[in-house]
Amino acid sequence: MDVNKQIREAVRNGSQESIEDVRFTKEMELRIRGAIAQNKHKNRNRIFMAGSLAACLAVTAVGMHQQGWFPQMPSGKNLANAVATTAIDKKNTEAKQNSVKVSPEEAILPLKKAISAISKTTIRVDSTRHGISDITLMEGNNARASVAYDIQTGQIESFMISGERPDPYPENWDETSVKMPADKTAESVANAFLQSFLGEESKSYQHLGTEGYVNEFWEESIWLSVSYQRMENGKPVPYDILSVRINSKEQVSFFGRLNKSEQAFFTKLTDAMPDLNPSLLLFDKEKNRDGMSLAVGNVNKEGHQASLRIVGNGQALESYSIEEKDKKEEPSWKQAKGAKAVEQERQFLNKLLGTDSENYRLEDESKPGVYQRYHNGLPVLSDEIRMTTDESGLLRFFRKEPETFDPSQYPDVSTAVSEEVAIQELSEHMKLRYVQNLDASSEERVEKGKPVLEYTPAVSFMQMGREDGTEWHIDATSGKIAYGTGNNGLAYDQLNTKKAHAIQSPKEYVKVRSKDEAKALLQAEFGILVDDSTYRESEMDRNGRKEYVWNDKNDKYIGVEVLAKTGSVVGLDTPRSDTAVTVKREQAEEAALAFLHKYVDPGVTEVQLAQVIQPGVANPVSSGEWEFRYFMSKDGIPVLDDDNPDAAYSVTIDPSTGKVTKFNNFRETHELVELPASDNIVSKDKAVQEFLRVMPLKLVYLMKDVDRKSLPQPKLAYMPWGNEELANKTVTIDAVTGKIITK
């Protein structure tokens, strides 16, 4: 398995936000590689891998090592009546909070004394936010443990030993296959650790309970979690709890505690969530990008577990979810519906948010569960609340944006250009694209296999009935359209070019049906001899593909990818020669186009540039070479496969030699169909009129730019805003008939 190749492809299929500003350390690269290797036995598809890696990569940008229980959420608002400060105030506050009083060396000294396994580690400070510093304890280039501590008091918030999982991971692993120590043994080890670590303070804590704990998100291991409650004058101190986790080797692998701010936070939540009682068990506590992720037990009368994500140092609730104690296909509870659900949700929001709850409206009046923030009568996109309650009124799921803007930061509606100006801008940017195969689920019943020529505002996105403004929007201040990068990070819409390149495609595919034929192709095409390299073959789940793979003496990947049934070559991969970057774009692009003629699908006569990836330093996300991605094209119009805005082909060029090193055919189907003529279609103006009939432009506030980065203040924008029925459907215009196509 080529980890570099898997990582790059997975990340490119992930969000652009996750890739932006990534900075890899050697330890993080090894961690990603290990994660993939340990998941091989699960036969996980690339979509799952993309999501997992995106989550991991998102936190590497700030040097963190645990993404937590929930994916990173967009920006939103603080808990009940708390008003966010301006961006400048936030920076000043953050700087003040991060004024270090206790050094990392001082903070972890008691830990090193209590746990001999980390006594010789060195410290790497990864980040400090909200007064909590996230550090990694290193042994050489290997991460030994992660620690979060309060830089003002020196209190350890959480501590976790790294790399406990067996490698290779057993295929038949489950919770019952791990032999755990007896509860009494675990409690004895935990007590001894606390006495050594906390000293006299440990005497004020009373044992609450010992339960097995499984973290399935990343670690996928099992421990015994020993929880404690602080006592004063014979009474429990509400939410002053801590936990020690014991592994199968009877060793301490985790310590976590709720600090004063978090204790106060849980006390506030009690009114809205009475099931969060003061005798909770603490299973997990991990630093995340915006605060802490927690797992607690003894939730509700059944004693279920709950996962929470808390913003800052106990400032606000971002997400909450109750997990069934016994995992079943069907939950043991029934979801509240209709007016009853809305009433329960409103009661909860009123208690949690106070008067701020009045600013949230049901996204769809006929359906409970999703609430959109409004300001000045306009929706604030990306600021929403999602929640689920059961028939008994218990909150089962909650997710809210972590912070929001002060009302003074919202621009006045009067500063927006007129709707007529926005419509004119939309008309100028309405584009054509071919889609080769539409399935029969569309409302117009376009039969499968029949191609269509569409008008759409953005080629590289599937236009939805409701968007959040990050794909594209019209800036209401300037009146100009802004595009994000599309699926797979394609920048076709941003490129704003219609230049097409004629292709002399082969009469048939280049074919490889054996190891020897793959070797011969590599030698003929790239001059590479693989006789001294390690060889393996692998059947790939994706589209029935097969790989002939060699790894050279430097463990560099060399491979030929084919369609397993036919032997048609759809991928070639060789290493770059060195790290130099001397080849200019023009030379690299010329070499890429020349190479395409040999390996595109037979019958392709034209391609159009969809994405250019610049060369640079190699890392697990990018090989650091020139890469050119192409759509198929006809008459200067992009050709897509079955509503899939991916590029069809990519060619990678070594920036030091100008020679091709890689080729990929990304198409899921390799059929070509006769496409409609483009010389007898409705005008762009008529297409815009039909589009606006079902997707009128609406003035909104945006909290994020097209790269999904938080804005310093809200932005006024015009967005297409279909009715509730179209909210989750794709919407385009048939260029031949001028009729709307919804799917």
Side-chain angles (χ1 to χ4, degrees):
M1 176 181 184
D2 175 35
V3 175
N4 273 324
K5 183 180 179 185
Q6 293 276 0
I7 290 174
R8 289 174 192 139
E9 183 168 342
V11 171
R12 285 172 189 158
N13 282 283
S15 68
Q16 183 72 14
E17 177 187 20
S18 300
I19 303 170
E20 201 78 33
D21 299 328
V22 171
R23 300 293 182 267
F24 280 93
T25 63
K26 181 65 176 175
E27 180 270 325
M28 177 53 69
E29 179 179 340
L30 293 174
R31 178 176 179 180
I32 295 173
R33 293 172 184 272
I36 294 175
Q38 290 158 348
N39 282 323
K40 281 194 295 185
H41 74 282
K42 292 190 174 295
N43 194 26
R44 299 185 178 183
N45 60 34
R46 294 179 181 223
I47 293 175
F48 177 85
M49 184 178 289
S52 298
L53 288 177
C56 183
L57 292 174
V59 293
T60 68
V62 291
M64 298 181 184
H65 302 284
Q66 296 293 333
Q67 175 65 11
W69 284 89
F70 293 92
Q72 178 63 33
M73 306 298 174
S75 301
K77 185 173 168 42
N78 287 346
L79 184 63
N81 300 323
V83 178
T85 59
T86 63
I88 295 176
D89 289 338
K90 288 180 181 178
K91 289 181 180 179
N92 291 338
T93 302
E94 189 75 13
K96 185 177 180 180
Q97 289 176 335
N98 293 345
S99 177
V100 178
K101 288 186 177 180
V102 180
S103 69
E105 291 78 10
E106 292 175 291
I108 68 166
L109 186 59
L111 267 178
K112 284 191 171 185
K113 289 180 179 179
I115 301 178
S116 60
I118 61 170
S119 60
K120 296 182 179 180
T121 56
T122 58
I123 296 172
R124 187 186 71 206
V125 178
D126 297 323
S127 66
T128 302
R129 295 195 69 188
H130 307 292
I132 304 296
S133 188
D134 190 28
I135 64 178
T136 300
L137 304 184
M138 306 290 295
E139 284 185 355
N141 290 328
N142 299 317
R144 193 70 185 89
S146 58
V147 181
Y149 84 97
D150 188 312
I151 60 177
Q152 299 295 312
T153 65
Q155 177 174 287
I156 301 296
E157 300 292 314
S158 66
F159 158 80
M160 183 181 293
I161 292 286
S162 304
E164 291 192 356
R165 208 164 30 174
D167 189 14
Y169 204 73
E171 291 195 17
N172 61 347
W173 182 91
D174 62 32
E175 299 160 30
T176 62
S177 66
V178 181
K179 184 175 177 58
M180 296 301 297
D183 288 3
K184 291 295 183 183
T185 302
E187 291 159 17
S188 177
V189 174
N191 289 338
F193 164 74
L194 290 179
Q195 289 172 13
S196 175
F197 176 49
L198 299 181
E200 284 295 312
E201 185 187 1
S202 66
K203 296 179 180 179
S204 62
Y205 283 92
Q206 176 178 293
H207 176 249
L208 265 183
T210 302
E211 289 196 16
Y213 171 66
V214 179
N215 182 339
E216 294 180 335
F217 175 74
W218 188 265
E219 296 296 339
E220 208 163 320
S221 297
I222 184 169
W223 304 269
L224 283 178
S225 181
V226 187
S227 292
Y228 296 82
Q229 169 88 57
R230 180 187 284 275
M231 305 294 290
E232 286 184 1
N233 300 320
K235 295 182 179 180
V237 179
Y239 303 107
D240 192 339
I241 54 178
L242 58 80
S243 172
V244 181
R245 203 183 290 165
I246 309 299
N247 63 20
S248 59
K249 299 177 183 178
E250 301 181 8
Q251 299 169 335
V252 173
S253 61
F254 166 85
F255 166 81
R257 69 192 307 173
L258 296 187
N259 60 35
K260 296 293 185 185
S261 297
E262 291 161 347
Q263 292 166 31
F265 169 79
F266 271 92
T267 300
K268 289 179 182 178
L269 282 182
T270 303
D271 185 39
M273 301 182 189
D275 294 280
L276 291 175
N277 59 75
S279 60
L280 285 174
L281 303 179
L282 177 64
F283 291 137
D284 194 28
K285 180 177 180 178
E286 299 179 26
K287 186 84 162 59
N288 61 50
R289 192 172 185 175
D290 287 315
M292 285 288 179
S293 297
L294 304 170
V296 296
N298 277 6
V299 176
N300 73 26
K301 61 184 179 181
E302 287 82 20
H304 286 142
Q305 180 180 319
S307 297
L308 301 90
R309 190 176 175 101
I310 299 175
V311 179
N313 194 2
Q315 273 77 37
L317 178 66
E318 181 179 340
S319 57
Y320 173 89
S321 178
I322 292 181
E323 299 179 11
E324 291 286 291
K325 217 170 185 181
D326 298 318
K327 296 168 188 174
K328 306 170 184 176
E329 291 187 7
E330 294 293 330
S332 60
W333 53 276
K334 291 185 179 180
Q335 181 177 342
K337 297 180 180 180
K340 180 178 181 180
V342 173
E343 181 183 359
Q344 291 176 171
E345 290 166 358
R346 275 297 176 194
Q347 287 177 355
F348 176 79
L349 290 177
N350 290 340
K351 290 179 180 178
L352 185 67
L353 304 179
T355 56
D356 189 43
S357 65
E358 298 172 3
N359 296 318
Y360 287 90
R361 304 179 191 175
L362 268 175
E363 185 177 75
D364 183 344
E365 291 297 331
S366 64
K367 297 178 182 178
V370 183
Y371 293 81
Q372 176 79 57
R373 175 181 283 280
Y374 276 74
H375 184 81
N376 288 337
L378 304 181
V380 184
L381 302 191
S382 298
D383 189 345
E384 64 181 24
I385 293 173
R386 294 180 178 271
M387 57 194 304
T388 300
T389 60
D390 64 23
E391 289 188 336
S392 71
L394 179 67
L395 182 70
R396 290 282 174 168
F397 172 80
F398 175 87
R399 189 178 72 193
K400 182 185 180 297
E401 314 311 325
E403 55 187 0
T404 193
F405 296 102
D406 186 276
S408 64
Q409 292 179 273
Y410 286 84
D412 193 277
V413 177
S414 64
T415 62
V417 299
S418 68
E419 185 177 338
E420 288 73 20
V421 171
I423 290 174
Q424 180 60 34
E425 180 72 0
L426 173 66
S427 181
E428 291 177 6
H429 287 81
M430 187 66 81
K431 302 176 180 182
L432 287 166
R433 71 176 174 210
Y434 282 105
V435 177
Q436 289 203 114
N437 302 293
L438 286 177
D439 65 30
S441 65
S442 71
E443 293 181 2
E444 295 298 315
R445 293 297 172 190
V446 179
E447 66 181 74
K448 185 172 178 59
K450 183 178 180 181
V452 64
L453 177 57
E454 299 176 338
Y455 275 111
T456 176
V459 169
S460 59
F461 291 99
M462 289 295 116
Q463 175 69 58
M464 301 296 291
R466 290 280 177 88
E467 299 285 9
D468 63 2
T470 57
E471 285 81 6
W472 71 272
H473 63 261
I474 296 171
D475 188 314
T477 302
S478 66
K480 300 299 181 181
I481 200 166
Y483 284 110
T485 47
N487 191 58
N488 270 347
L490 294 178
Y492 175 82
D493 295 299
Q494 291 180 343
L495 292 175
N496 197 28
T497 177
K498 289 186 177 181
K499 184 179 180 181
H501 304 279
I503 290 288
Q504 297 292 327
S505 61
K507 292 183 179 179
E508 61 180 24
Y509 291 99
V510 176
K511 294 190 177 182
V512 164
R513 296 180 178 86
S514 68
K515 172 185 176 183
D516 288 340
E517 290 183 5
K519 286 174 60 177
L521 178 60
L522 289 169
Q523 184 174 0
E525 194 65 76
F526 304 106
I528 292 177
L529 297 174
V530 293
D531 292 327
D532 297 329
S533 301
T534 304
Y535 174 74
R536 70 183 185 279
E537 289 182 17
S538 64
E539 296 287 342
M540 303 175 66
D541 292 334
R542 183 169 64 94
N543 305 327
R545 298 189 176 201
K546 179 178 181 178
E547 282 185 311
Y548 300 92
V549 179
W550 288 265
N551 287 87
D552 66 15
K553 61 182 179 180
N554 296 317
D555 199 32
K556 297 293 185 181
Y557 173 91
I558 303 167
V560 178
E561 187 174 339
V562 302
L563 299 179
K565 287 185 178 180
T566 64
S568 302
V569 174
V570 290
L572 295 166
D573 203 322
T574 65
R576 64 189 289 186
S577 60
D578 58 46
T579 59
V581 178
T582 58
V583 175
K584 303 298 183 183
R585 171 176 168 169
E586 293 75 14
Q587 179 186 348
E589 190 170 356
E590 183 178 346
L593 282 168
F595 191 86
L596 268 182
H597 290 268
K598 293 185 283 186
Y599 288 98
V600 296
D601 295 286
V604 173
T605 60
E606 187 178 291
V607 295
Q608 190 174 152
L609 192 63
Q611 178 79 5
V612 180
I613 297 175
Q614 303 284 337
V617 178
N619 60 42
V621 178
S622 170
S623 65
E625 302 171 89
W626 281 109
E627 184 178 348
F628 301 90
R629 292 191 162 198
Y630 300 91
F631 287 128
M632 293 184 295
S633 180
K634 173 180 166 60
D635 300 330
I637 301 169
V639 180
L640 280 61
D641 279 335
D642 196 21
D643 282 2
N644 182 0
D646 292 356
Y649 312 107
S650 79
V651 183
T652 301
I653 306 296
D654 189 324
S656 63
T657 65
K659 295 181 179 180
V660 174
T661 58
K662 298 174 182 63
F663 165 78
N664 277 293
N665 184 329
F666 294 118
R667 299 184 65 212
E668 294 183 6
T669 173
H670 297 272
E671 300 175 0
L672 298 175
V673 298
E674 185 177 351
L675 299 170
S678 60
D679 57 356
N680 187 23
I681 58 177
V682 301
S683 68
K684 187 182 291 187
D685 287 342
K686 286 186 177 180
V688 171
Q689 288 176 16
E690 178 67 5
F691 184 81
L692 292 174
R693 182 179 67 81
V694 294
M695 298 278 284
L697 293 183
K698 185 178 181 67
L699 192 59
V700 302
Y701 286 108
L702 299 181
M703 298 180 65
K704 292 192 171 186
D705 62 17
V706 291
D707 294 319
R708 298 185 183 275
K709 291 183 177 179
S710 297
L711 293 165
Q713 68 179 61
K715 174 182 179 179
L716 279 168
Y718 282 100
M719 284 296 306
W721 198 266
N723 59 33
E724 303 294 348
E725 210 172 289
L726 293 177
N728 296 313
K729 295 181 179 180
T730 58
V731 180
T732 55
I733 306 297
D734 188 319
V736 176
T737 66
K739 302 297 184 182
I740 199 83
I741 298 175
T742 60
K743 182 180 177 183

